């Protein structure tokens, strides 16, 4: 009896919190089938519900045709990914020797095409370091008419420091932050030039006036292979409509850095905190100051020439009649690295959705075409990995 390969598929079913006043135009539990072209609903199919349902539909269709699935399938579907997957990693490591011992291939579909028309396979993700800056000037909020001009205001200090983190063109001002970034390879720019990506479509899709970089290669490298710093918010500051003349007694500024291969959260934390402490010392403010790393996750990158990716490329060509682009992604999927560690196998990111699906945003959707063709893709992928020989797997594992 010949050995049958085993594929492990991960998916999550939850979504981020939503307030209807944020601009959502459909009911969260009602599927809106608009003009038979797209399915609209909060979290219904965007993110990972669509590949979970797609996998179930693929297996159902195989069974309905009275055929045996070409590979064994194991899966993990969770409902707390948007809450940090609390408890999942310890469970996975606890079951590492038993549940994952016979896994040959790992597939996750928690990402998107680079465009709206061409499929891709994703082999890299940036990591994340999330920081907080706390500044306190008083034990309570103050009236600006009574105290303005006579106190060192916490908000003024915070705005000064947050304004020293990144330039308008995206360059991070923190010393040494680029020190550990992987050097650009001799032929690497040629790789980016082959990718189907239109910078003008990318810009106009979000109604942005001007990108920080001029050409396609530089835009893609800024998104994928270089770190970026983003300011996210200020806790404790007045943010409601209208005017309010309050001086916040305490404010907390929040920002993050997307980190890339060769950068570690530990080194980035040191660079950032050293710089923030230097800025604070130079500020010479009497207020209370504290900066710290709130959360972090490593970057991830795998070998896109692994048989897992080669099989997925064949499946994509079969379904969409086009060779997929090989891409990296600017976001983070921390569980990807965990699955790589507990299985010891190559992890494939196989997206089903287009770049304009609007994950976590108002009016999430999935195009009917992508839902149908994506289901076919998952079925074709299961078939293609069944053709990978044990010798090919062993050779790939020995050279990774």
């Amino acid at each position: 009896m010949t050995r049958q390969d085993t594929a492990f598929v991960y998916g999550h079913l939850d979504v981020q919190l939503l307030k209807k006043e944020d601009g959502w135009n459909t009911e969260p539990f009602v599927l809106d089938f608009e003009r038979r072209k797209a399915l609209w609903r909060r979290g219904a199919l965007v993110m990972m519900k669509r590949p979970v349902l797609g996998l179930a539909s693929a297996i159902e269709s195989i069974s309905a045709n009275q055929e045996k699935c070409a590979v064994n399938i194991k899966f993990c579907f969770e409902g707390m990914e948007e809450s940090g997957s609390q408890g999942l990693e310890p469970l996975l490591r606890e079951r590492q020797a038993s549940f994952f011992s016979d896994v040959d291939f790992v597939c996750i579909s928690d990402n998107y095409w680079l465009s709206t028309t061409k499929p891709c396979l994703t082999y890299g993700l940036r990591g994340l370091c999330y920081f907080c800056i706390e500044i306190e000037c008083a034990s309570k909020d103050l009236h600006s008419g009574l105290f303005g001009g006579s106190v060192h205001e916490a908000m003024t200090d915070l705005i000064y420091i947050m304004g020293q983190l990144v330039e308008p063109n995206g360059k991070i001002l923190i010393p040494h932050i680029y020190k550990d970034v992987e050097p650009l390879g001799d032929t690497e720019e040629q790789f980016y030039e082959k990718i189907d990506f239109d910078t003008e479509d990318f810009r106009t899709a979000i109604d942005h006036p001007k990108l920080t970089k001029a050409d396609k290669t530089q835009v893609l490298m800024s998104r994928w292979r270089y770190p970026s710093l983003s300011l996210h918010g200020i806790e404790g500051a007045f943010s409601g409509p209208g005017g309010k003349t309050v001086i916040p007694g305490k404010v907390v500024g929040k920002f993050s850095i997307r980190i890339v291969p060769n950068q570690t959260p530990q080194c980035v934390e040191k660079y950032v905190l050293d710089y923030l402490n230097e800025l604070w010392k130079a500020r010479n403010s009497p207020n209370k100051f504290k900066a710290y790393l709130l959360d972090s996750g490593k970057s991830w990158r795998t070998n896109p020439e692994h048989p897992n990716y080669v099989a997925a490329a064949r499946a994509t060509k079969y379904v969409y009649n086009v060779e997929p682009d090989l891409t990296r992604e600017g976001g983070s999927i921390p569980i990807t690295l965990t699955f790589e560690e507990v299985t010891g196998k190559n992890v494939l990111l196989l997206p089903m959705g287009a770049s304009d699906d609007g994950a976590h945003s108002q009016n999430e959707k999935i195009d009917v075409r992508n839902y149908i063709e994506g289901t076919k893709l998952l079925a074709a992928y299961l078939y293609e990995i069944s053709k990978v020989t044990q010798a090919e797997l062993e050779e790939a594992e020995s050279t990774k």
Side-chain angles (χ1 to χ4, degrees):
M1 181 177 178
T2 58
R3 176 181 176 275
Q4 191 172 25
D5 289 326
T6 298
F8 173 76
V9 182
Y10 165 80
H12 73 84
L13 306 172
D14 57 322
V15 297
Q16 290 190 355
L17 294 176
L18 165 75
K19 293 181 180 179
K20 195 169 182 179
E21 56 266 31
D22 289 340
W24 189 256
N25 296 328
T26 59
E27 293 298 326
F29 300 108
V30 177
L31 188 63
D32 183 4
F33 191 7
E34 180 182 315
R35 297 184 297 279
R36 302 187 65 82
K37 291 183 179 180
L39 302 168
W40 303 78
R41 178 180 154 191
R42 174 61 178 171
L45 293 169
V46 180
M47 293 307 292
M48 294 206 67
K49 285 186 177 62
R50 63 176 168 223
V52 169
L53 290 174
L55 177 66
S57 298
I59 296 172
E60 182 182 28
S61 65
I62 292 170
S63 176
N65 285 288
Q66 298 182 337
E67 295 183 15
K68 182 180 179 182
C69 191
V71 294
N72 297 318
I73 302 174
K74 292 185 174 182
F75 53 82
C76 170
F77 299 152
E78 71 156 324
M80 290 186 64
E81 196 275 345
E82 302 295 353
S83 302
S85 297
Q86 297 180 27
L88 179 59
E89 183 171 345
L91 176 64
L92 296 175
R93 297 194 183 280
E94 177 186 320
R95 304 293 176 87
Q96 181 174 359
S98 55
F99 186 78
F100 295 103
S101 61
D102 59 347
V103 168
D104 301 290
F105 303 93
V106 181
C107 178
I108 300 174
S109 185
D110 194 12
N111 59 311
Y112 304 90
W113 293 357
L114 186 59
S115 69
T116 60
T117 58
K118 189 176 182 182
C120 66
L121 306 177
T122 303
Y123 66 95
L125 298 164
R126 291 195 291 189
L128 179 71
C129 290
Y130 199 103
F131 293 91
C132 292
I133 305 170
E134 293 184 7
I135 301 180
E136 183 177 355
C137 67
S139 60
K140 59 183 179 181
D141 291 349
L142 306 174
H143 190 294
S144 64
L146 300 177
F147 295 94
S150 62
V151 298
H152 296 268
E153 298 186 15
M155 181 74 87
T156 305
D157 287 341
L158 181 62
I159 295 301
Y160 166 79
I161 289 181
M162 295 185 76
Q164 307 297 313
L165 296 175
V166 61
E167 292 184 349
N169 64 3
K171 180 183 178 182
I172 303 173
L173 296 172
I174 298 167
H176 312 301
I177 201 69
Y178 295 101
K179 174 183 175 183
D180 303 318
V181 175
E182 182 180 47
L184 187 67
D186 294 337
T187 61
E188 189 175 350
E189 288 195 34
Q190 299 174 14
F191 174 83
Y192 289 94
E193 292 170 1
K194 299 176 183 177
I195 294 175
D196 183 12
F197 178 74
D198 189 298
T199 57
E200 186 61 13
D201 287 347
F202 177 65
R203 183 192 67 79
T204 57
I206 57 173
D207 196 24
H208 187 65
K210 182 182 178 182
L211 301 177
T212 60
K213 304 295 185 294
D215 64 81
K216 176 181 75 173
T217 297
Q218 292 300 317
V219 171
L220 290 176
M221 288 197 293
S222 295
R223 290 181 61 187
W224 296 347
R225 75 164 331 274
Y226 290 119
S228 64
L229 188 151
S230 300
L231 307 180
H232 299 300
I234 300 177
E235 183 181 335
F238 170 63
S239 60
K244 185 179 179 182
T245 57
V246 66
I247 298 173
K250 178 181 177 181
V251 287
V252 182
K254 302 177 181 182
F255 70 94
S256 71
I257 298 177
R258 296 284 177 171
I259 64 174
V260 296
N262 290 4
Q263 288 185 309
T264 66
Q266 293 81 6
C267 285
V268 171
E269 179 185 17
K270 183 180 187 309
Y271 299 151
V272 170
L273 295 187
D274 284 351
Y275 179 60
L276 292 177
N277 285 318
E278 287 177 7
L279 287 177
W280 183 248
K281 183 178 179 180
R283 181 69 173 169
N284 197 29
S285 171
N287 293 328
K288 297 177 182 178
F289 169 86
K290 181 170 70 171
Y292 54 90
L293 177 70
L294 181 67
D295 196 11
S296 68
K298 297 178 181 178
S299 63
W300 167 83
R301 186 182 59 191
T302 192
N303 175 20
E305 297 179 352
H306 188 278
N308 196 15
Y309 277 77
V310 175
R314 288 198 302 263
T316 304
K317 179 68 179 295
Y318 177 78
V319 174
Y320 291 97
N321 198 32
V322 65
E323 293 286 347
D325 280 334
L326 292 174
T327 68
R328 289 158 72 168
E329 185 53 73
S332 307
I333 309 175
I335 201 67
T336 305
L337 184 58
T338 302
F339 283 130
E340 184 177 82
E341 292 172 349
V342 298
T343 64
K345 304 298 181 180
N346 176 274
V347 179
L348 166 72
L349 292 185
L350 183 63
M352 286 176 64
S355 60
D356 64 348
D357 281 349
H360 299 325
S361 186
Q362 293 87 351
N363 299 324
E364 295 181 44
K365 60 87 178 170
I366 181 172
D367 296 330
V368 172
R369 175 217 182 196
N370 281 7
Y371 182 50
I372 294 174
E373 301 302 298
T375 298
K376 295 177 184 178
L377 175 60
L378 287 170
Y381 165 71
L382 295 176
Y383 172 73
E384 290 295 340
I385 59 175
S386 73
K387 301 190 313 187
V388 177
T389 67
Q390 189 63 28
E392 289 175 321
L393 279 178
E394 291 176 354
E395 181 181 0
E397 295 301 318
S398 67
T399 57
K400 68 179 181 180

